[in-house]
Amino acid sequence: MSKTPSVRGALAWSFAERYLSLLITVPTTMILARLLTPTQVGVYSLCAVVTNLASILRDFGVSEYLIQERDLDRDKLRNAFTITLLMAWGIAALIFGGRFLLADWYHEPLLADLLLVLSLNFVMLPLASPAFALLNRELAFHKVCVVQVSANAANSATSIALAWAGHGAMSLAWGPVAGIAVQVAILVWLRPHDALVMPRLRGAGRQLRFGAMFTGSRLVESGSRNGHELIIGKVFGFTALGLFSRATGLIDLLAQTVSSAILRVATPALAADHRAGHSLVAPYARGTAIFTGIAWPFMGGVALMAGDIIALLFGAQWHEAAPLATLLAIAGLPYALTMLAPNALAATGQVRRRLSVALWYGPTHLLCVALASFWSLHAVAAVFAIGNLVQVVMYTRHLTEVLKARPRDLFMPSWTSAQLALGTCAGLALAQLASHELGLPLIPRLALCVAAGAGAWLACASLLGHPAMAELRRAWTHLRSRHA
């Protein structure tokens, strides 16, 4: 990513948004995990897979197109708004009309009611998507922060209130609807210049071609990454699906705290560098090193302490999710190397290559999951590593061609991240051993391990001269100068 002050400021706001949202979502998750059963969460998770796939079709790559377009004018904005409107309302109609098919296939009538509620999101979202994309393009992440934190607060408050009142899985459906309603209201109020325009499709051919390629790759990626839930729900049942969903939810804490903050800034920042004619090799390599320096220690920590973390966050009824979380954390290690790759390809307009990767990864991953489902749920978690390795190999090939770089140019800076992860996990393991020897209860045990892991990370990052440490020092210096 570019090292301009505006990008650093955007990244700071993006992280602020994620951590403020985390202060909302983590307590919410802890409360809902104690109000809802694994079966209720499993039923909702199945609907979430369907609506997540539908959301990709709904956007049709419009957000990414608006971010990467070199010469954005009012006509292109009108085209973007029209495409979003037609896709979203069309999908809402499809979900409304086809919701009973899914309910019949899984023999669960509640699925139809959940999909009916979730279809409301697609009615509202066209009013927000173009405006949100423009805020991202302009790196106006102070406004994005207000929008997202407010929406998350509305989502959480609604879900908790309804779950407390005994509405079960329906509370998880109405929460996102409330969040989207708040998001739309704020974006209409903020209203970036030309965000709301009259519909028009004439001259939208380039957007439609871009959207078709981008959406195809996203559908395959998301379908492959979440399609396992459809298999698990059918083969193992909704309780197993709920447990697996909780395990993946723990891994997704990384996405909520770090990945999304970096990715939200990465695409517009990389696109800005590309529009200016700058090489993306160094920004990609440094961004990847920073991310792996956080992701690999995090994954290692989850693998070591999954049982204690799940007991604290979700309660005793979810203890069977712990070994699944350990396996998923280990399986996710390779993908951190190419976390920025889809954004780099989208920023350079190479969405066809992204589709090519998805077409290799998707069938491989789902085939492995289908075969593993003949053995056990743990085998399903373990084979995630195969699909992730396929993605790393494919993305590396495309990145070296597009960015005119060698693999070592892109990934060598991340070697220090591997050393950092080993040092951090060693500190965690020693603290975990000591806490068990001392017979510490859950919360003091976790506190000791987290403190030891954080201390080991800081010491190793400083000793290794890791780029993540340099960014922390720069941020600290900036804060001190502002408050001096």
Side-chain angles (χ1 to χ4, degrees):
M1 286 169 288
S2 171
K3 292 292 174 276
T4 62
S6 61
V7 174
R8 281 211 173 90
L11 193 57
W13 274 108
S14 189
F15 270 105
E17 180 262 308
R18 291 320 303 162
Y19 284 111
L20 287 172
S21 295
L22 194 67
L23 290 175
I24 298 170
T25 55
V26 169
T28 299
T29 301
M30 294 172 70
I31 295 169
L32 290 175
R34 288 160 174 82
L35 293 175
L36 303 174
T37 66
T39 302
Q40 289 171 328
V41 172
V43 173
Y44 174 76
S45 295
L46 196 71
C47 290
V49 172
V50 175
T51 54
N52 285 341
L53 289 171
S55 293
I56 296 169
L57 274 172
R58 183 268 310 166
D59 186 68
F60 204 70
V62 166
S63 297
E64 283 68 21
Y65 175 83
L66 293 177
I67 288 171
Q68 62 85 48
E69 175 58 39
R70 290 179 184 268
D71 302 309
L72 191 60
D73 56 31
R74 187 175 179 83
D75 286 341
K76 290 174 181 175
L77 283 170
R78 292 175 65 184
N79 291 338
F81 176 66
T82 306
I83 292 169
T84 304
L85 192 69
L86 291 174
M87 292 299 297
W89 288 2
I91 288 168
L94 284 174
I95 292 175
F96 177 81
R99 65 192 190 280
F100 292 109
L101 295 176
L102 191 71
D104 291 342
W105 175 251
Y106 284 94
H107 308 293
E108 177 51 72
L110 183 58
L111 290 172
D113 296 331
L114 289 167
L115 287 173
L116 176 62
V117 173
L118 289 169
S119 68
L120 296 176
N121 289 333
F122 296 91
V123 177
M124 295 185 288
L125 275 168
L127 301 175
S129 293
F132 199 75
L134 289 177
L135 291 179
N136 280 269
R137 176 186 172 91
E138 297 162 5
L139 297 177
F141 285 94
H142 56 296
K143 294 181 179 179
V144 171
C145 181
V146 172
V147 173
Q148 292 297 88
V149 172
S150 301
N152 284 331
N155 184 338
S156 296
T158 303
S159 295
I160 290 174
L162 291 176
W164 191 276
H167 291 282
M170 291 298 293
S171 62
L172 297 175
W174 280 111
V177 172
I180 293 297
V182 169
Q183 185 184 74
V184 169
I186 296 175
L187 283 168
V188 170
W189 173 61
L190 289 174
R191 209 159 67 182
H193 182 62
D194 285 340
L196 292 178
V197 291
M198 291 299 293
R200 162 190 161 135
L201 263 181
R202 187 160 53 88
R206 185 167 182 270
Q207 286 195 41
L208 291 170
R209 288 190 295 273
F210 180 95
M213 287 296 175
F214 184 85
T215 301
S217 63
R218 285 287 310 280
L219 277 174
V220 177
E221 288 170 358
S222 184
S224 304
R225 193 162 292 278
N226 299 301
H228 61 268
E229 298 198 6
L230 300 175
I231 297 173
I232 291 170
K234 190 65 177 176
V235 176
F236 298 103
F238 288 114
T239 301
L241 177 56
L243 292 168
F244 203 93
S245 178
R246 277 289 173 241
T248 55
L250 182 58
I251 305 303
D252 284 345
L253 279 175
L254 178 67
Q256 295 173 14
T257 54
V258 179
S259 302
S260 62
I262 293 176
L263 289 174
R264 187 172 292 158
V265 179
T267 299
L270 290 170
D273 278 350
H274 179 65
R275 291 195 301 267
H278 300 154
S279 171
L280 302 186
V281 176
Y284 182 91
R286 183 176 176 81
T288 299
I290 292 172
F291 180 72
T292 53
I294 300 170
W296 285 344
F298 176 91
M299 294 293 195
V302 169
L304 287 170
M305 301 190 301
D308 285 347
I309 296 172
I310 284 177
L312 176 67
L313 292 181
F314 307 139
Q317 66 173 328
W318 299 94
H319 72 277
E320 292 179 68
L324 298 172
T326 295
L327 290 168
L328 289 170
I330 296 170
L333 291 173
Y335 182 65
L337 284 170
T338 51
M339 186 272 297
L340 286 174
N343 300 75
L345 293 178
T348 55
Q350 298 287 335
V351 289
R352 186 184 295 272
R353 291 177 181 269
R354 182 170 174 170
L355 176 58
S356 173
V357 175
L359 290 173
W360 275 94
Y361 163 74
T364 302
H365 174 69
L366 290 181
L367 177 61
C368 289
V369 167
L371 292 174
S373 68
F374 287 102
W375 278 268
S376 68
L377 201 58
H378 296 88
V380 171
V383 298
F384 271 54
I386 299 173
N388 287 332
L389 287 170
V390 169
Q391 285 194 100
V392 170
V393 171
M394 294 296 297
Y395 273 128
T396 299
R397 182 173 73 83
H398 287 294
L399 285 172
T400 54
E401 293 176 2
V402 171
L403 303 183
K404 304 294 190 292
R406 298 170 298 176
R408 63 176 298 164
D409 297 329
L410 300 173
F411 303 129
M412 184 56 72
S414 296
W415 168 241
T416 55
S417 298
Q419 297 170 286
L420 177 57
L422 288 173
T424 303
C425 289
L428 270 174
L430 288 173
Q432 197 173 35
L433 181 62
S435 65
H436 282 292
E437 288 294 324
L438 294 171
L440 296 178
L442 176 63
I443 294 178
R445 183 165 69 243
L446 270 173
L448 175 63
C449 290
V450 169
W457 189 94
L458 289 170
C460 293
S462 181
L463 182 65
L464 293 166
H466 195 277
M469 193 65 185
E471 291 296 327
L472 280 178
R473 285 173 175 158
R474 187 177 287 108
W476 175 249
T477 301
H478 178 67
L479 286 174
R480 290 185 62 184
S481 66
R482 291 190 63 178
H483 290 87

PDB file of all heavy atoms in Angstrom, residues 348-372:
ATOM      1  N   THR A 348      -5.896  -3.539 -10.345  1.00  0.00           N
ATOM      2  CA  THR A 348      -5.249  -3.393 -11.652  1.00  0.00           C
ATOM      3  C   THR A 348      -6.185  -3.788 -12.795  1.00  0.00           C
ATOM      4  O   THR A 348      -5.767  -3.857 -13.956  1.00  0.00           O
ATOM      5  CB  THR A 348      -3.977  -4.264 -11.719  1.00  0.00           C
ATOM      6  OG1 THR A 348      -4.312  -5.628 -11.398  1.00  0.00           O
ATOM      7  CG2 THR A 348      -2.928  -3.769 -10.730  1.00  0.00           C
ATOM      8  N   GLY A 349      -7.451  -4.073 -12.471  1.00  0.00           N
ATOM      9  CA  GLY A 349      -8.427  -4.426 -13.501  1.00  0.00           C
ATOM     10  C   GLY A 349      -8.325  -5.855 -14.002  1.00  0.00           C
ATOM     11  O   GLY A 349      -8.973  -6.218 -14.980  1.00  0.00           O
ATOM     12  N   GLN A 350      -7.523  -6.702 -13.303  1.00  0.00           N
ATOM     13  CA  GLN A 350      -7.299  -8.070 -13.762  1.00  0.00           C
ATOM     14  C   GLN A 350      -8.291  -9.041 -13.109  1.00  0.00           C
ATOM     15  O   GLN A 350      -7.900 -10.032 -12.470  1.00  0.00           O
ATOM     16  CB  GLN A 350      -5.857  -8.490 -13.430  1.00  0.00           C
ATOM     17  CG  GLN A 350      -4.795  -7.662 -14.118  1.00  0.00           C
ATOM     18  CD  GLN A 350      -4.701  -7.968 -15.597  1.00  0.00           C
ATOM     19  OE1 GLN A 350      -5.061  -9.053 -16.050  1.00  0.00           O
ATOM     20  NE2 GLN A 350      -4.216  -7.012 -16.370  1.00  0.00           N
ATOM     21  N   VAL A 351      -9.586  -8.745 -13.270  1.00  0.00           N
ATOM     22  CA  VAL A 351     -10.590  -9.583 -12.619  1.00  0.00           C
ATOM     23  C   VAL A 351     -10.710 -10.949 -13.284  1.00  0.00           C
ATOM     24  O   VAL A 351     -11.146 -11.922 -12.667  1.00  0.00           O
ATOM     25  CB  VAL A 351     -11.952  -8.860 -12.593  1.00  0.00           C
ATOM     26  CG1 VAL A 351     -11.932  -7.709 -11.621  1.00  0.00           C
ATOM     27  CG2 VAL A 351     -12.348  -8.380 -13.985  1.00  0.00           C
ATOM     28  N   ARG A 352     -10.328 -11.065 -14.555  1.00  0.00           N
ATOM     29  CA  ARG A 352     -10.378 -12.369 -15.222  1.00  0.00           C
ATOM     30  C   ARG A 352      -9.424 -13.352 -14.544  1.00  0.00           C
ATOM     31  O   ARG A 352      -9.738 -14.545 -14.414  1.00  0.00           O
ATOM     32  CB  ARG A 352     -10.026 -12.210 -16.700  1.00  0.00           C
ATOM     33  CG  ARG A 352     -10.195 -13.497 -17.509  1.00  0.00           C
ATOM     34  CD  ARG A 352      -9.740 -13.281 -18.952  1.00  0.00           C
ATOM     35  NE  ARG A 352     -10.592 -12.321 -19.642  1.00  0.00           N
ATOM     36  CZ  ARG A 352     -11.691 -12.658 -20.289  1.00  0.00           C
ATOM     37  NH1 ARG A 352     -12.088 -13.910 -20.330  1.00  0.00           N
ATOM     38  NH2 ARG A 352     -12.403 -11.730 -20.914  1.00  0.00           N
ATOM     39  N   ARG A 353      -8.265 -12.873 -14.133  1.00  0.00           N
ATOM     40  CA  ARG A 353      -7.311 -13.737 -13.444  1.00  0.00           C
ATOM     41  C   ARG A 353      -7.856 -14.177 -12.087  1.00  0.00           C
ATOM     42  O   ARG A 353      -7.633 -15.313 -11.654  1.00  0.00           O
ATOM     43  CB  ARG A 353      -5.976 -13.004 -13.266  1.00  0.00           C
ATOM     44  CG  ARG A 353      -5.224 -12.767 -14.573  1.00  0.00           C
ATOM     45  CD  ARG A 353      -3.951 -11.966 -14.320  1.00  0.00           C
ATOM     46  NE  ARG A 353      -3.222 -11.695 -15.535  1.00  0.00           N
ATOM     47  CZ  ARG A 353      -2.260 -12.483 -16.035  1.00  0.00           C
ATOM     48  NH1 ARG A 353      -1.942 -13.600 -15.409  1.00  0.00           N
ATOM     49  NH2 ARG A 353      -1.635 -12.158 -17.142  1.00  0.00           N
ATOM     50  N   ARG A 354      -8.543 -13.261 -11.412  1.00  0.00           N
ATOM     51  CA  ARG A 354      -9.145 -13.625 -10.132  1.00  0.00           C
ATOM     52  C   ARG A 354     -10.182 -14.730 -10.326  1.00  0.00           C
ATOM     53  O   ARG A 354     -10.280 -15.658  -9.507  1.00  0.00           O
ATOM     54  CB  ARG A 354      -9.798 -12.387  -9.515  1.00  0.00           C
ATOM     55  CG  ARG A 354     -10.415 -12.629  -8.169  1.00  0.00           C
ATOM     56  CD  ARG A 354     -10.822 -11.329  -7.515  1.00  0.00           C
ATOM     57  NE  ARG A 354     -11.544 -11.581  -6.273  1.00  0.00           N
ATOM     58  CZ  ARG A 354     -11.860 -10.647  -5.393  1.00  0.00           C
ATOM     59  NH1 ARG A 354     -11.491  -9.396  -5.604  1.00  0.00           N
ATOM     60  NH2 ARG A 354     -12.528 -10.948  -4.297  1.00  0.00           N
ATOM     61  N   LEU A 355     -10.941 -14.647 -11.392  1.00  0.00           N
ATOM     62  CA  LEU A 355     -11.910 -15.695 -11.705  1.00  0.00           C
ATOM     63  C   LEU A 355     -11.208 -17.019 -11.976  1.00  0.00           C
ATOM     64  O   LEU A 355     -11.670 -18.084 -11.552  1.00  0.00           O
ATOM     65  CB  LEU A 355     -12.751 -15.282 -12.908  1.00  0.00           C
ATOM     66  CG  LEU A 355     -13.763 -16.302 -13.431  1.00  0.00           C
ATOM     67  CD1 LEU A 355     -14.754 -16.695 -12.346  1.00  0.00           C
ATOM     68  CD2 LEU A 355     -14.492 -15.752 -14.656  1.00  0.00           C
ATOM     69  N   SER A 356     -10.076 -16.964 -12.674  1.00  0.00           N
ATOM     70  CA  SER A 356      -9.325 -18.177 -12.960  1.00  0.00           C
ATOM     71  C   SER A 356      -8.888 -18.884 -11.684  1.00  0.00           C
ATOM     72  O   SER A 356      -8.996 -20.115 -11.564  1.00  0.00           O
ATOM     73  CB  SER A 356      -8.103 -17.829 -13.815  1.00  0.00           C
ATOM     74  OG  SER A 356      -7.269 -18.949 -13.990  1.00  0.00           O
ATOM     75  N   VAL A 357      -8.408 -18.111 -10.710  1.00  0.00           N
ATOM     76  CA  VAL A 357      -8.006 -18.701  -9.421  1.00  0.00           C
ATOM     77  C   VAL A 357      -9.205 -19.336  -8.736  1.00  0.00           C
ATOM     78  O   VAL A 357      -9.133 -20.458  -8.219  1.00  0.00           O
ATOM     79  CB  VAL A 357      -7.374 -17.629  -8.513  1.00  0.00           C
ATOM     80  CG1 VAL A 357      -7.073 -18.209  -7.129  1.00  0.00           C
ATOM     81  CG2 VAL A 357      -6.096 -17.081  -9.127  1.00  0.00           C
ATOM     82  N   ALA A 358     -10.317 -18.619  -8.736  1.00  0.00           N
ATOM     83  CA  ALA A 358     -11.515 -19.129  -8.072  1.00  0.00           C
ATOM     84  C   ALA A 358     -11.992 -20.430  -8.698  1.00  0.00           C
ATOM     85  O   ALA A 358     -12.457 -21.338  -7.998  1.00  0.00           O
ATOM     86  CB  ALA A 358     -12.618 -18.075  -8.136  1.00  0.00           C
ATOM     87  N   LEU A 359     -11.865 -20.538 -10.024  1.00  0.00           N
ATOM     88  CA  LEU A 359     -12.318 -21.753 -10.711  1.00  0.00           C
ATOM     89  C   LEU A 359     -11.439 -22.957 -10.417  1.00  0.00           C
ATOM     90  O   LEU A 359     -11.871 -24.103 -10.542  1.00  0.00           O
ATOM     91  CB  LEU A 359     -12.391 -21.493 -12.215  1.00  0.00           C
ATOM     92  CG  LEU A 359     -13.511 -20.560 -12.666  1.00  0.00           C
ATOM     93  CD1 LEU A 359     -13.386 -20.239 -14.151  1.00  0.00           C
ATOM     94  CD2 LEU A 359     -14.885 -21.171 -12.369  1.00  0.00           C
ATOM     95  N   TRP A 360     -10.185 -22.709 -10.046  1.00  0.00           N
ATOM     96  CA  TRP A 360      -9.324 -23.801  -9.594  1.00  0.00           C
ATOM     97  C   TRP A 360      -9.587 -24.137  -8.123  1.00  0.00           C
ATOM     98  O   TRP A 360      -9.689 -25.305  -7.749  1.00  0.00           O
ATOM     99  CB  TRP A 360      -7.850 -23.421  -9.777  1.00  0.00           C
ATOM    100  CG  TRP A 360      -7.314 -23.701 -11.137  1.00  0.00           C
ATOM    101  CD1 TRP A 360      -7.252 -22.836 -12.197  1.00  0.00           C
ATOM    102  CD2 TRP A 360      -6.775 -24.935 -11.604  1.00  0.00           C
ATOM    103  NE1 TRP A 360      -6.711 -23.459 -13.299  1.00  0.00           N
ATOM    104  CE2 TRP A 360      -6.402 -24.751 -12.956  1.00  0.00           C
ATOM    105  CE3 TRP A 360      -6.566 -26.180 -11.026  1.00  0.00           C
ATOM    106  CZ2 TRP A 360      -5.842 -25.761 -13.723  1.00  0.00           C
ATOM    107  CZ3 TRP A 360      -6.000 -27.195 -11.788  1.00  0.00           C
ATOM    108  CH2 TRP A 360      -5.651 -26.979 -13.121  1.00  0.00           C
ATOM    109  N   TYR A 361      -9.672 -23.096  -7.311  1.00  0.00           N
ATOM    110  CA  TYR A 361      -9.825 -23.305  -5.868  1.00  0.00           C
ATOM    111  C   TYR A 361     -11.174 -23.927  -5.515  1.00  0.00           C
ATOM    112  O   TYR A 361     -11.245 -24.877  -4.730  1.00  0.00           O
ATOM    113  CB  TYR A 361      -9.672 -21.961  -5.144  1.00  0.00           C
ATOM    114  CG  TYR A 361     -10.213 -21.980  -3.733  1.00  0.00           C
ATOM    115  CD1 TYR A 361      -9.530 -22.642  -2.707  1.00  0.00           C
ATOM    116  CD2 TYR A 361     -11.424 -21.352  -3.416  1.00  0.00           C
ATOM    117  CE1 TYR A 361     -10.035 -22.666  -1.422  1.00  0.00           C
ATOM    118  CE2 TYR A 361     -11.925 -21.366  -2.124  1.00  0.00           C
ATOM    119  CZ  TYR A 361     -11.232 -22.024  -1.134  1.00  0.00           C
ATOM    120  OH  TYR A 361     -11.727 -22.050   0.146  1.00  0.00           O
ATOM    121  N   GLY A 362     -12.249 -23.398  -6.110  1.00  0.00           N
ATOM    122  CA  GLY A 362     -13.584 -23.813  -5.720  1.00  0.00           C
ATOM    123  C   GLY A 362     -13.840 -25.309  -5.820  1.00  0.00           C
ATOM    124  O   GLY A 362     -14.155 -25.954  -4.813  1.00  0.00           O
ATOM    125  N   PRO A 363     -13.718 -25.888  -7.003  1.00  0.00           N
ATOM    126  CA  PRO A 363     -13.975 -27.328  -7.112  1.00  0.00           C
ATOM    127  C   PRO A 363     -13.048 -28.168  -6.238  1.00  0.00           C
ATOM    128  O   PRO A 363     -13.470 -29.178  -5.671  1.00  0.00           O
ATOM    129  CB  PRO A 363     -13.729 -27.606  -8.605  1.00  0.00           C
ATOM    130  CG  PRO A 363     -13.966 -26.294  -9.275  1.00  0.00           C
ATOM    131  CD  PRO A 363     -13.471 -25.259  -8.312  1.00  0.00           C
ATOM    132  N   THR A 364     -11.783 -27.751  -6.134  1.00  0.00           N
ATOM    133  CA  THR A 364     -10.838 -28.501  -5.300  1.00  0.00           C
ATOM    134  C   THR A 364     -11.294 -28.521  -3.857  1.00  0.00           C
ATOM    135  O   THR A 364     -11.330 -29.573  -3.196  1.00  0.00           O
ATOM    136  CB  THR A 364      -9.429 -27.885  -5.393  1.00  0.00           C
ATOM    137  OG1 THR A 364      -8.996 -27.883  -6.746  1.00  0.00           O
ATOM    138  CG2 THR A 364      -8.434 -28.674  -4.544  1.00  0.00           C
ATOM    139  N   HIS A 365     -11.630 -27.338  -3.349  1.00  0.00           N
ATOM    140  CA  HIS A 365     -12.040 -27.231  -1.943  1.00  0.00           C
ATOM    141  C   HIS A 365     -13.313 -28.032  -1.664  1.00  0.00           C
ATOM    142  O   HIS A 365     -13.368 -28.818  -0.704  1.00  0.00           O
ATOM    143  CB  HIS A 365     -12.248 -25.759  -1.592  1.00  0.00           C
ATOM    144  CG  HIS A 365     -12.808 -25.542  -0.230  1.00  0.00           C
ATOM    145  ND1 HIS A 365     -12.080 -25.801   0.919  1.00  0.00           N
ATOM    146  CD2 HIS A 365     -14.030 -25.094   0.181  1.00  0.00           C
ATOM    147  CE1 HIS A 365     -12.830 -25.519   1.977  1.00  0.00           C
ATOM    148  NE2 HIS A 365     -14.007 -25.094   1.555  1.00  0.00           N
ATOM    149  N   LEU A 366     -14.335 -27.852  -2.495  1.00  0.00           N
ATOM    150  CA  LEU A 366     -15.605 -28.531  -2.243  1.00  0.00           C
ATOM    151  C   LEU A 366     -15.498 -30.041  -2.422  1.00  0.00           C
ATOM    152  O   LEU A 366     -16.149 -30.808  -1.701  1.00  0.00           O
ATOM    153  CB  LEU A 366     -16.688 -27.965  -3.157  1.00  0.00           C
ATOM    154  CG  LEU A 366     -17.135 -26.534  -2.831  1.00  0.00           C
ATOM    155  CD1 LEU A 366     -18.220 -26.085  -3.790  1.00  0.00           C
ATOM    156  CD2 LEU A 366     -17.633 -26.437  -1.396  1.00  0.00           C
ATOM    157  N   LEU A 367     -14.671 -30.477  -3.374  1.00  0.00           N
ATOM    158  CA  LEU A 367     -14.460 -31.915  -3.538  1.00  0.00           C
ATOM    159  C   LEU A 367     -13.798 -32.499  -2.293  1.00  0.00           C
ATOM    160  O   LEU A 367     -14.193 -33.568  -1.803  1.00  0.00           O
ATOM    161  CB  LEU A 367     -13.597 -32.182  -4.776  1.00  0.00           C
ATOM    162  CG  LEU A 367     -13.233 -33.650  -5.036  1.00  0.00           C
ATOM    163  CD1 LEU A 367     -14.499 -34.483  -5.253  1.00  0.00           C
ATOM    164  CD2 LEU A 367     -12.302 -33.777  -6.238  1.00  0.00           C
ATOM    165  N   CYS A 368     -12.790 -31.799  -1.772  1.00  0.00           N
ATOM    166  CA  CYS A 368     -12.116 -32.267  -0.546  1.00  0.00           C
ATOM    167  C   CYS A 368     -13.079 -32.312   0.630  1.00  0.00           C
ATOM    168  O   CYS A 368     -13.068 -33.267   1.424  1.00  0.00           O
ATOM    169  CB  CYS A 368     -10.934 -31.360  -0.219  1.00  0.00           C
ATOM    170  SG  CYS A 368      -9.538 -31.511  -1.348  1.00  0.00           S
ATOM    171  N   VAL A 369     -13.922 -31.285   0.748  1.00  0.00           N
ATOM    172  CA  VAL A 369     -14.897 -31.259   1.839  1.00  0.00           C
ATOM    173  C   VAL A 369     -15.904 -32.398   1.698  1.00  0.00           C
ATOM    174  O   VAL A 369     -16.239 -33.083   2.678  1.00  0.00           O
ATOM    175  CB  VAL A 369     -15.627 -29.896   1.869  1.00  0.00           C
ATOM    176  CG1 VAL A 369     -16.850 -29.955   2.785  1.00  0.00           C
ATOM    177  CG2 VAL A 369     -14.685 -28.798   2.345  1.00  0.00           C
ATOM    178  N   ALA A 370     -16.383 -32.624   0.458  1.00  0.00           N
ATOM    179  CA  ALA A 370     -17.356 -33.699   0.237  1.00  0.00           C
ATOM    180  C   ALA A 370     -16.763 -35.064   0.585  1.00  0.00           C
ATOM    181  O   ALA A 370     -17.419 -35.895   1.225  1.00  0.00           O
ATOM    182  CB  ALA A 370     -17.818 -33.677  -1.216  1.00  0.00           C
ATOM    183  N   LEU A 371     -15.512 -35.289   0.185  1.00  0.00           N
ATOM    184  CA  LEU A 371     -14.857 -36.560   0.515  1.00  0.00           C
ATOM    185  C   LEU A 371     -14.625 -36.687   2.015  1.00  0.00           C
ATOM    186  O   LEU A 371     -14.843 -37.757   2.603  1.00  0.00           O
ATOM    187  CB  LEU A 371     -13.529 -36.676  -0.239  1.00  0.00           C
ATOM    188  CG  LEU A 371     -13.628 -36.830  -1.760  1.00  0.00           C
ATOM    189  CD1 LEU A 371     -12.246 -36.788  -2.394  1.00  0.00           C
ATOM    190  CD2 LEU A 371     -14.331 -38.134  -2.117  1.00  0.00           C
ATOM    191  N   ALA A 372     -14.191 -35.584   2.647  1.00  0.00           N
ATOM    192  CA  ALA A 372     -13.917 -35.625   4.088  1.00  0.00           C
ATOM    193  C   ALA A 372     -15.184 -35.845   4.895  1.00  0.00           C
ATOM    194  O   ALA A 372     -15.134 -36.398   6.008  1.00  0.00           O
ATOM    195  CB  ALA A 372     -13.238 -34.326   4.523  1.00  0.00           C
TER     196      ALA A 372
END
